[in-house]
Amino acid sequence: MRIVSVSVMVEEQDRISYLPDDILIRILSLLPTKEIARTSLLSKAWRKLSPFSSLSVLMFQSPDFFHSRRKNFDVSSFINAIDSSLRLRQKDVSLARLQLRLHLNDIESESLIDSWIDAALERKVKELDLYLLPRSIPEPYGLPAKIFSTTTITVLSLEQCRLEICGDVDLPALRKLCLRKILCDEQAIRQLISSCPLIEDLDIVSCGKLKKLHVSGLANLHRLVVTCCYNLRRIEIDAPSLQYFMYDHQRSLLCDVVWTPGEFLRELILHDRHITNDLLQNLVSGVPNLERLEIDSTRLQRIEISHHQLKRLELRLSEWQREAKLKIDAPNLQSFTYLGYRMPLTSMISSMNTSSLREAEIHFRNCNDYSHFFILQLKEFFEKSKNCQVINLLIKSKEELIIPRKLRPIPSPPVYDIKHLHLIVYYCSRFQYIIDRMLWMCHPQTLSIETSAKFLKVLYNKFSNKEENPKCCTSCPTKCWRHYLEDVQIDGDESRLEIDQIFAMRELSKKSTNCKVRFRLKWRSQLL
């Protein structure tokens, strides 16, 4: 045997520093922003690359925004990372976005934040996102005047700041403005909005001190969101190009909305307890190209919607609207969503043209009134929705969904044409009864079940151990699903894995609701 001796030279200098600059920059780009700052301070070889010139986005978030523990949080290192990130960046290299989500308890002086904003503005930042949690004494951060006089910002997002405008506003490139939890008055917002004529997207959210909002002079405004500003008394909107409008005002205080929708409006979302049916009809009828409508109102007892272009409709009704009357004339409706305590199906189904409906989603909120009348209504809805690709049904109830015995002899064949039924059940103690009732009403091609592991195991065993010729229902003209079901298969690898994991569990809890399995069902069109 010949032994070859190999001598290895240990270099005192690291080899990474000798890699080509483009590779080094690529390595740096894979690190978090804070780590890049630390690495660049270690070596001249790394610092000479000006690595931050290759990063178009700088984002810093203190642990508060991750719901993580702060005991190991190094505040000084965090601040130095932000400072060095902006300081080492060359001034002639533009910055696409700077996001600062900080807690003011971590910052000794607000002038430090001012210096970071100045550095970003000097580097022609295009998107500026500031979210500054106040100190123990709620005194919001006061925005520097320079923010409102820069020619490069296209997106400005401000949260929990103080908006005071003392001089002129000059934001000629601004396209998107988002103000959340801002301490301001009507005059400051009006001056800001009126000085940015190219705004296309505007969000005013949770500005509690705001009592009046005036939006005008924005010929390019396409999207407007006004939500959770509960002290608002009046909103005036003049935006002829508006395509999307969301308004949420569910407090008891009445707010007047002065607005005439234009022909470009496509989506209208109204969450207002004070809205009336007459106002709703006037809004809808005045928008010829409306495609999406979402209504959330606690007082409406009569809802009439007639629109031939409407494609998506969502209704949310409260417990006090159990007897609400609905009339829907939307022949091109493709998606229908309902959230409520009891669905007023009788009036709705008789007037609803569902020939174009492709998806329906029904959420029953704590409904404990599963009477025979309700069962017949739900069955009728299945019949009207048989052309749907997907029906999502969510039931939250401690009661059982039971078909009364007096209904069982009534000949009523199940609905066959439903392609996919997605069923989510919470709280019910006897889940298998709900499955029995649902499959009595309809025979979907695929069935997705989302409930506890214990109930899914019971269902899987019922499907697997079905009899060829069940002895039940001998005296009923309409047989249960067991007589019609020809074959059951688990659909998809994820569902198969879920079933395997359920059977591998030693103990199964009824409270677990994070299991979902999809079955593919084959039915007989008639009994043998």
Side-chain angles (χ1 to χ4, degrees), residues 220-318:
N220 296 328
L221 187 63
H222 295 156
R223 181 181 176 275
L224 174 61
V225 174
V226 182
T227 64
C228 303
C229 299
Y230 294 126
N231 285 308
L232 271 175
R233 298 294 186 275
R234 185 177 179 85
I235 301 177
E236 298 177 4
I237 303 173
D238 181 14
S241 300
L242 200 61
Q243 300 177 12
Y244 176 102
F245 179 46
M246 177 178 180
Y247 172 63
D248 187 334
H249 186 78
Q250 292 286 25
R251 291 290 179 92
S252 58
L253 300 175
L254 180 64
C255 178
D256 293 328
V257 180
V258 181
W259 173 53
T260 301
E263 60 177 326
F264 298 104
L265 192 69
R266 298 290 189 275
E267 299 180 70
L268 178 60
I269 301 173
L270 298 174
H271 297 178
D272 185 0
R273 62 184 304 176
H274 297 286
I275 193 172
T276 64
N277 181 62
D278 292 338
L279 176 59
L280 178 61
Q281 287 191 68
N282 291 335
L283 285 175
V284 173
S285 61
V287 186
N289 297 309
L290 188 65
E291 297 181 354
R292 177 190 176 192
L293 177 63
E294 182 178 319
I295 303 297
D296 185 352
S297 176
T298 60
R299 295 187 178 182
L300 276 173
Q301 294 297 328
R302 181 171 59 93
I303 302 176
E304 298 180 16
I305 298 172
S306 177
H307 202 290
H308 283 204
Q309 297 299 321
L310 195 63
K311 296 180 180 179
R312 297 174 59 190
L313 175 63
E314 180 172 326
L315 297 177
R316 301 184 182 185
L317 302 186
S318 68

Side-chain angles (χ1 to χ4, degrees), residues 425-426 428 431-432 449-461 497-517 519:
V425 181
Y426 295 109
C428 186
F431 169 80
Q432 61 268 28
I449 305 293
E450 189 169 341
T451 186
S452 69
K454 184 170 185 177
F455 291 147
L456 277 175
K457 184 175 181 179
V458 171
L459 176 62
Y460 181 73
N461 286 331
L497 180 61
E498 193 77 63
I499 285 290
D500 291 342
Q501 291 176 344
I502 289 173
F503 275 88
M505 296 179 186
R506 292 184 177 181
E507 296 182 2
L508 298 176
S509 173
K510 292 183 179 181
K511 296 182 180 180
S512 174
T513 56
N514 58 348
C515 298
K516 179 179 178 181
V517 177
F519 298 97

Side-chain angles (χ1 to χ4, degrees), residues 9-53:
M9 180 182 295
V10 179
E11 298 180 355
E12 294 182 357
Q13 297 178 340
D14 67 280
R15 295 183 179 181
I16 296 181
S17 297
Y18 288 94
L19 292 173
D21 288 355
D22 57 342
I23 296 180
L24 291 176
I25 291 176
R26 175 59 178 165
I27 294 174
L28 286 171
S29 67
L30 299 176
L31 298 175
T33 308
K34 183 173 66 173
E35 298 302 326
I36 295 175
R38 290 176 175 176
T39 304
S40 301
L41 292 174
L42 293 177
S43 168
K44 293 181 179 180
W46 293 80
R47 193 180 309 155
K48 69 180 177 63
L49 297 174
S50 297
F52 298 101
S53 64

Side-chain angles (χ1 to χ4, degrees), residues 346 349-350 375-385:
T346 302
I349 289 178
S350 61
I375 298 296
L376 290 178
Q377 287 179 324
L378 189 57
K379 177 103 173 359
E380 186 178 359
F381 179 76
F382 282 137
E383 292 172 350
K384 291 283 288 186
S385 307

